């Protein structure tokens, strides 16, 4: 399997990622490793403003999801 980097190009990409996290937590109560890995790649490879938007939206809608992701300073 080829590991393809994933990055957010706009706020819509970020909002879709947030919805995926919310849905995963609603159905499973935990986030799977593949999803964490994919989102960490996006966090590391995307524009810092988009990353900040991701964390702000998680904090707003599902703050307990923040524990799955590395702390980033803005």
């Amino acid at each position: 399997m080829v590991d393809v980097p994933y990055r957010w190009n706009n706020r819509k990409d970020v909002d879709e990622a947030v919805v995926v996290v919310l849905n995963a937590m609603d159905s499973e109560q935990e986030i799977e490793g593949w999803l964490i890995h994919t989102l960490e790649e996006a966090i590391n490879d995307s524009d810092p403003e988009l990353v900040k938007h991701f964390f702000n939206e998680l904090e707003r809608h599902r703050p307990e999801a923040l524990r799955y992701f590395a702390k980033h300073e803005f």
Side-chain angles (χ1 to χ4, degrees):
M1 183 171 134
V2 176
D3 192 23
V4 178
Y6 173 67
R7 87 179 40 126
W8 299 314
N9 296 308
N10 53 51
R11 288 181 88 132
K12 181 179 182 235
D13 291 346
V14 175
D15 292 340
E16 289 173 352
V18 170
V19 169
V20 169
V21 170
L22 298 178
N23 288 340
M25 291 193 73
D26 285 345
S27 65
E28 302 166 14
Q29 303 301 316
E30 295 292 326
I31 300 176
E32 295 292 323
W34 69 268
L35 181 55
I36 292 170
H37 175 74
T38 301
L39 293 173
E40 282 289 342
E41 285 183 7
I43 290 165
N44 292 331
D45 293 338
S46 298
D47 181 284
E49 284 301 312
L50 295 174
V51 175
K52 184 176 181 180
H53 179 63
F54 174 76
F55 283 108
N56 287 342
E57 289 298 297
L58 278 188
E59 186 169 16
R60 185 172 138 211
H61 295 289
R62 196 57 94 91
E64 63 272 24
L66 293 171
R67 68 185 164 108
Y68 291 101
F69 305 101
K71 180 84 172 165
H72 291 269
E73 296 296 324
F74 301 103

